[in-house]
Amino acid sequence: MQTSMKRTLEALGSLKLAVVGMVLLMLLVGACTLAQVRLGIYGAVAVYIRTFLVWVRVPGTALSVPVFPGGGFVGLLLIVNMTASLVTRWSAGRLKPGLALTHIGVILLLAGEFQTAFRAHESSLSIEVGQTLDYTEATRRTELAIEEGKAPAAHGTKAEATPAGKPLATISERDLARGGELALPGLPVSLKVLRFLRNGHLVMQKEAAAGAIVVTAGSGRKLTVVELPAATSDDEPETPVAYVEAVAGGKSLGVWLVSPVLGPQVLEAGGRKLALSMHPERVWMPFTLTLKHFSHDVYPGTDIPRNFSSLVRLVDAERHEDRDVLIWMNHPLRYRGLTFYQASYGKGDTLSVLQVVRNPGWILPYLSCLIVTVGMAWHFLLRLAAARRDP
Amino acid sequence: MSALLKKHLAWLAPVLIALWVAGSLRAPKRADGADIAGFAALPVLHEGRVKPLDTVARSSLLALRGKQTIPVRGRTVGAAEWLLDMNARPGVADTYEVFGIDSPDVLGAAGLGPTDRRRFSMKELQPGLPELGSQAEQADAVPARERSRFQVAILGLNSRFMTYRGLQNSLAPGDTADYPGEIAAYAKVLGPGIKALHAHRTGAGIDRKALSALGGYFRRYQYMAESAPFRALPPRDGDPADAWENAGEGLIEGMQTGEIHPHVAVFAGLLDAWKRGDAKAFNAGLGEYRRWLADHAPKAARAAVAEVLFNRAQPFYAGMVIYVLALLLGFAAWLVWPETLRLTAFRLMALAWGIHTAGLAFRIILQGRPPVTNLYSSAVFVGWASVGLGLELERRFRNGLGTVVGALIGFVTLIIAHHLAAQGDSMEMMRAVLDSNFWLATHVVTITIGYAATYLAGVLAIAYILRGTLTRSLDEAQAAALSGMVYGIVAFALFFSFIGTVLGGIWADQSWGRFWGWDPKENGALLIVLWMAVILHARNRYVSDRVIMVMAVFGNVITSLSWFGVNMLGIGLHSYGFMDRAFLWLSVFVASQLAVMGLGLMPLHRWRSRLPGEPGPSPFLPER
């Protein structure tokens, strides 16, 4: 091996760099924990951990500058450091098997966290007894859906006997935030997003304020929006709001105010009735789940929950599955790459909330735990034996 | 004399103390011969668990006044007797000083100032109740995070009033003059009352007199049924095993079935006998009821008797006291009689550890759970594991350090546990998500052993720094031995805390689909793992022993913040209980550790012990 390459590898794999990387990670983890009081877990993780750089806004400007390496950077640094160290020690013939295993396991663990950050997807499924659903809802993303316009169902009644079916078109949160006019293939209208707020509060107003966007159609007339800061705690709900203008044949059909709290609103274009509704982004499943029964036990004479369980019917026409499944604490349902966990409940024990996770690399931490345990036990026991032989 | 003592101390001291502990298992004899110990062992259902009245009484009294007994005119009233008086002789119980009030502002609001006393009776507080009630109402309207110290204190007192009232209505109506008489009178109006109720429902006319007689009782017993914190009436034959009822429910049952729950009368008889001071009748009634329990609810009755023994022995308290003794003897051994005192201290610590182990085993068996289920038991277990490691160190190195360090951690963790116990019964039921013996046994136990080991390493490092900087007693060989011990224990801590942390992630993946959520508790555990790893990697080449010791002391800070600090953030899925005063103690502890670290960072030539010089001025040396 060339000496320069060897030297580079040695520098990358040095113990000094390992210590620096671990201390940086400790600082990030500490900062992330303290920031959770202010930003909530989700926000704090986004700022410190799931990022390559930690950005700070310069006071008084809109300018952000990186001030510290983020979790992604430090994670990569540690992976590179351990790999380089393994390679140099191995080529020098002084790689101890216990330590090798330990570090391979830790590399796997870090790789698993990267994998989760990029590929895992979390959503939730709120289902009432008797309801059948074929989609789950993303926890923190919204979408605008255009569906076949029916007579609007009474607001608040959610328990449908049949699955909803996919909408004609959807506009993702990213497109909403970007704004501008969006063509809707196959539909006689296009939508122009005039304004999108991630979190807003709807209030009645008597007269339109000067310069404000005027809502001319749908149930949002006479309403205006007060922008709210992003939610700081994870269970504090956010209400996204958008002003959209429907355009057909170069002509405006009106401006609608859409938000999950307003329910579906009908718009007519080219002789078709379409319904606009904003709701959490839906993730469609190739099968349906029906909640048959939910039970919630407490210890006698207390409110301490003893167990929750949901009895669901799983129907998958493609794979000819039609069976009952019981989902309860620490006993999730794993099916077609999705895992359903009992998370919460509501509405006098008739609503069950399941957490739904797609994580293709879920096995990595299990492997890593095994490998590191064996590796560390091997190494430390050898050291202990050596110390006993010659104290 | 001195020589004789020196010769025999090492076995005499442990034996005498063991005898003292064994003596505490016996129930104290009473002059009137009343079987209070038997009453204390009656099983009841409280917070979802069947436990003896003794446990309910002790944990309630601890929450009210901060102690498990009350001094009354030169004698000591135990918790069970207090609960008996609360129901049989409420007027007498109201004169016991059971409300601990520390806040001078609350004393002022209650109209009690100026006084040096800190504990008051219900009778003394009675005149101030309306004012305290309206203050509590005002404080309750303020969001929890924005309350002032006074408001928090007033709400705390108010909730203790509710507990007190509930306890006073748990076996008998709190204001009854003659309980058996009242039940007899109630039984008399029951028949006509039920008939009138039935007639009213079917429209066959209204018997106002019978209805209002029944209504009066109903309101009275309804209040009892709603406020009683525990259920004393066991299921009858044929009832499901958890169908316990409280006295109010048992009385109201008469209005539904025409028959009052049979055990209402049993308790009425006991309370009446106690009130009349008739110990013989009390013992007879109690004996009959306990024979019934032994036949019909043998498991509950046996478990209750065992738990009363556990309560009386207070193994963790006894352990705490003996650890202090061991610690003091361990220190003394550095001054006089080194070998005798070292051995005595070691044996005392072993004895305390035996008692500690017995207490832990008892909890495991009684609860049917692994040793760590909540913050309280984590403190007990951290202490247990540290002392175990300390014993092993002492056995191997025989230099007194293992004893001193182990006894110190054992003592401190048991003190912490003692204070956490004041928050209520320490064997509460497990919430659904935590209800998994497998994960409690693997994840929680491993990670707690990791905590114990980081403390042990940290305290050994403190010993190194303090002896090195403040005394001349640390020589090169001892320094090397200490540094070897610290290295071994840090490796041990890394092993357990890493496995414990990852197992926690796997449990999280099993229960809510997320291996790692960056939750404060998880982050705290990760910080411990990272810091132990940093120490091991730094020790390899760059850093002198002195700096490694300073780093090990910092491990104490990180572990304490992870163990207690994150509970004070009050967020995250793992947060279990907010503690105000604990915050102060945590700050004091962290400050003390930082001070020791500062001491350790002094350059070696200013240390009082002469250690071989370090190979360079900076901790980061060029790689060889």
Side-chain angles (χ1 to χ4, degrees), chain B residues 340-353:
Chain B
T340 310
L341 288 187
R342 188 194 68 76
L343 193 62
T344 314
F346 173 67
R347 287 187 181 163
L348 280 184
M349 179 162 90
L351 171 69
W353 195 64

PDB file of all heavy atoms in Angstrom, chain B residues 340-353:
ATOM      1  N   THR B 340      -8.141  -4.778  61.774  1.00  0.00           N
ATOM      2  CA  THR B 340      -9.372  -5.120  62.485  1.00  0.00           C
ATOM      3  C   THR B 340     -10.560  -4.330  61.930  1.00  0.00           C
ATOM      4  O   THR B 340     -11.610  -4.891  61.622  1.00  0.00           O
ATOM      5  CB  THR B 340      -9.231  -4.767  63.980  1.00  0.00           C
ATOM      6  OG1 THR B 340      -8.031  -5.309  64.439  1.00  0.00           O
ATOM      7  CG2 THR B 340     -10.405  -5.298  64.754  1.00  0.00           C
ATOM      8  N   LEU B 341     -10.381  -3.037  61.838  1.00  0.00           N
ATOM      9  CA  LEU B 341     -11.501  -2.203  61.420  1.00  0.00           C
ATOM     10  C   LEU B 341     -11.865  -2.454  59.956  1.00  0.00           C
ATOM     11  O   LEU B 341     -13.032  -2.440  59.588  1.00  0.00           O
ATOM     12  CB  LEU B 341     -11.182  -0.728  61.648  1.00  0.00           C
ATOM     13  CG  LEU B 341     -11.172  -0.323  63.122  1.00  0.00           C
ATOM     14  CD1 LEU B 341     -11.007   1.184  63.252  1.00  0.00           C
ATOM     15  CD2 LEU B 341     -12.447  -0.758  63.826  1.00  0.00           C
ATOM     16  N   ARG B 342     -10.859  -2.701  59.124  1.00  0.00           N
ATOM     17  CA  ARG B 342     -11.150  -2.982  57.719  1.00  0.00           C
ATOM     18  C   ARG B 342     -12.018  -4.240  57.613  1.00  0.00           C
ATOM     19  O   ARG B 342     -13.032  -4.265  56.926  1.00  0.00           O
ATOM     20  CB  ARG B 342      -9.856  -3.183  56.928  1.00  0.00           C
ATOM     21  CG  ARG B 342     -10.067  -3.291  55.422  1.00  0.00           C
ATOM     22  CD  ARG B 342      -8.841  -3.829  54.707  1.00  0.00           C
ATOM     23  NE  ARG B 342      -8.590  -5.240  55.030  1.00  0.00           N
ATOM     24  CZ  ARG B 342      -9.292  -6.255  54.521  1.00  0.00           C
ATOM     25  NH1 ARG B 342     -10.280  -6.024  53.696  1.00  0.00           N
ATOM     26  NH2 ARG B 342      -8.998  -7.502  54.871  1.00  0.00           N
ATOM     27  N   LEU B 343     -11.645  -5.252  58.393  1.00  0.00           N
ATOM     28  CA  LEU B 343     -12.385  -6.508  58.346  1.00  0.00           C
ATOM     29  C   LEU B 343     -13.797  -6.313  58.917  1.00  0.00           C
ATOM     30  O   LEU B 343     -14.791  -6.809  58.370  1.00  0.00           O
ATOM     31  CB  LEU B 343     -11.622  -7.569  59.143  1.00  0.00           C
ATOM     32  CG  LEU B 343     -12.118  -8.993  58.930  1.00  0.00           C
ATOM     33  CD1 LEU B 343     -11.939  -9.380  57.470  1.00  0.00           C
ATOM     34  CD2 LEU B 343     -11.375  -9.966  59.828  1.00  0.00           C
ATOM     35  N   THR B 344     -13.890  -5.560  60.029  1.00  0.00           N
ATOM     36  CA  THR B 344     -15.205  -5.317  60.622  1.00  0.00           C
ATOM     37  C   THR B 344     -16.105  -4.589  59.624  1.00  0.00           C
ATOM     38  O   THR B 344     -17.266  -4.961  59.426  1.00  0.00           O
ATOM     39  CB  THR B 344     -15.071  -4.453  61.895  1.00  0.00           C
ATOM     40  OG1 THR B 344     -13.998  -4.982  62.669  1.00  0.00           O
ATOM     41  CG2 THR B 344     -16.340  -4.471  62.692  1.00  0.00           C
ATOM     42  N   ALA B 345     -15.550  -3.546  59.010  1.00  0.00           N
ATOM     43  CA  ALA B 345     -16.331  -2.775  58.057  1.00  0.00           C
ATOM     44  C   ALA B 345     -16.791  -3.662  56.905  1.00  0.00           C
ATOM     45  O   ALA B 345     -17.949  -3.617  56.475  1.00  0.00           O
ATOM     46  CB  ALA B 345     -15.503  -1.608  57.518  1.00  0.00           C
ATOM     47  N   PHE B 346     -15.865  -4.513  56.428  1.00  0.00           N
ATOM     48  CA  PHE B 346     -16.202  -5.393  55.314  1.00  0.00           C
ATOM     49  C   PHE B 346     -17.335  -6.339  55.701  1.00  0.00           C
ATOM     50  O   PHE B 346     -18.304  -6.526  54.973  1.00  0.00           O
ATOM     51  CB  PHE B 346     -14.945  -6.181  54.927  1.00  0.00           C
ATOM     52  CG  PHE B 346     -15.178  -7.239  53.904  1.00  0.00           C
ATOM     53  CD1 PHE B 346     -15.533  -6.891  52.601  1.00  0.00           C
ATOM     54  CD2 PHE B 346     -15.068  -8.584  54.226  1.00  0.00           C
ATOM     55  CE1 PHE B 346     -15.754  -7.872  51.646  1.00  0.00           C
ATOM     56  CE2 PHE B 346     -15.289  -9.569  53.272  1.00  0.00           C
ATOM     57  CZ  PHE B 346     -15.633  -9.210  51.979  1.00  0.00           C
ATOM     58  N   ARG B 347     -17.245  -6.902  56.914  1.00  0.00           N
ATOM     59  CA  ARG B 347     -18.285  -7.854  57.334  1.00  0.00           C
ATOM     60  C   ARG B 347     -19.615  -7.150  57.550  1.00  0.00           C
ATOM     61  O   ARG B 347     -20.678  -7.692  57.244  1.00  0.00           O
ATOM     62  CB  ARG B 347     -17.848  -8.566  58.611  1.00  0.00           C
ATOM     63  CG  ARG B 347     -16.762  -9.566  58.302  1.00  0.00           C
ATOM     64  CD  ARG B 347     -16.440 -10.394  59.515  1.00  0.00           C
ATOM     65  NE  ARG B 347     -15.368 -11.328  59.197  1.00  0.00           N
ATOM     66  CZ  ARG B 347     -14.652 -11.938  60.129  1.00  0.00           C
ATOM     67  NH1 ARG B 347     -14.895 -11.699  61.408  1.00  0.00           N
ATOM     68  NH2 ARG B 347     -13.716 -12.782  59.777  1.00  0.00           N
ATOM     69  N   LEU B 348     -19.552  -5.937  58.092  1.00  0.00           N
ATOM     70  CA  LEU B 348     -20.805  -5.188  58.275  1.00  0.00           C
ATOM     71  C   LEU B 348     -21.443  -4.908  56.922  1.00  0.00           C
ATOM     72  O   LEU B 348     -22.659  -5.037  56.747  1.00  0.00           O
ATOM     73  CB  LEU B 348     -20.533  -3.869  58.999  1.00  0.00           C
ATOM     74  CG  LEU B 348     -20.387  -3.971  60.506  1.00  0.00           C
ATOM     75  CD1 LEU B 348     -20.231  -2.579  61.101  1.00  0.00           C
ATOM     76  CD2 LEU B 348     -21.579  -4.670  61.130  1.00  0.00           C
ATOM     77  N   MET B 349     -20.609  -4.545  55.951  1.00  0.00           N
ATOM     78  CA  MET B 349     -21.175  -4.264  54.634  1.00  0.00           C
ATOM     79  C   MET B 349     -21.776  -5.542  54.044  1.00  0.00           C
ATOM     80  O   MET B 349     -22.842  -5.509  53.436  1.00  0.00           O
ATOM     81  CB  MET B 349     -20.131  -3.686  53.685  1.00  0.00           C
ATOM     82  CG  MET B 349     -20.721  -3.411  52.314  1.00  0.00           C
ATOM     83  SD  MET B 349     -19.762  -2.291  51.313  1.00  0.00           S
ATOM     84  CE  MET B 349     -18.694  -3.435  50.472  1.00  0.00           C
ATOM     85  N   ALA B 350     -21.100  -6.656  54.261  1.00  0.00           N
ATOM     86  CA  ALA B 350     -21.638  -7.915  53.757  1.00  0.00           C
ATOM     87  C   ALA B 350     -22.982  -8.222  54.419  1.00  0.00           C
ATOM     88  O   ALA B 350     -23.930  -8.666  53.766  1.00  0.00           O
ATOM     89  CB  ALA B 350     -20.642  -9.045  54.000  1.00  0.00           C
ATOM     90  N   LEU B 351     -23.058  -7.957  55.738  1.00  0.00           N
ATOM     91  CA  LEU B 351     -24.320  -8.188  56.455  1.00  0.00           C
ATOM     92  C   LEU B 351     -25.421  -7.294  55.887  1.00  0.00           C
ATOM     93  O   LEU B 351     -26.532  -7.751  55.584  1.00  0.00           O
ATOM     94  CB  LEU B 351     -24.114  -7.888  57.947  1.00  0.00           C
ATOM     95  CG  LEU B 351     -25.394  -7.873  58.793  1.00  0.00           C
ATOM     96  CD1 LEU B 351     -25.963  -9.269  58.904  1.00  0.00           C
ATOM     97  CD2 LEU B 351     -25.129  -7.292  60.184  1.00  0.00           C
ATOM     98  N   ALA B 352     -25.094  -6.000  55.732  1.00  0.00           N
ATOM     99  CA  ALA B 352     -26.091  -5.072  55.193  1.00  0.00           C
ATOM    100  C   ALA B 352     -26.519  -5.512  53.797  1.00  0.00           C
ATOM    101  O   ALA B 352     -27.694  -5.441  53.433  1.00  0.00           O
ATOM    102  CB  ALA B 352     -25.506  -3.660  55.138  1.00  0.00           C
ATOM    103  N   TRP B 353     -25.561  -6.016  53.035  1.00  0.00           N
ATOM    104  CA  TRP B 353     -25.884  -6.441  51.671  1.00  0.00           C
ATOM    105  C   TRP B 353     -26.803  -7.655  51.703  1.00  0.00           C
ATOM    106  O   TRP B 353     -27.716  -7.785  50.894  1.00  0.00           O
ATOM    107  CB  TRP B 353     -24.606  -6.758  50.901  1.00  0.00           C
ATOM    108  CG  TRP B 353     -24.818  -6.852  49.433  1.00  0.00           C
ATOM    109  CD1 TRP B 353     -25.219  -5.856  48.597  1.00  0.00           C
ATOM    110  CD2 TRP B 353     -24.660  -8.019  48.617  1.00  0.00           C
ATOM    111  NE1 TRP B 353     -25.310  -6.322  47.315  1.00  0.00           N
ATOM    112  CE2 TRP B 353     -24.970  -7.649  47.285  1.00  0.00           C
ATOM    113  CE3 TRP B 353     -24.280  -9.344  48.861  1.00  0.00           C
ATOM    114  CZ2 TRP B 353     -24.916  -8.549  46.209  1.00  0.00           C
ATOM    115  CZ3 TRP B 353     -24.209 -10.225  47.799  1.00  0.00           C
ATOM    116  CH2 TRP B 353     -24.530  -9.834  46.498  1.00  0.00           C
TER     117      TRP B 353
END
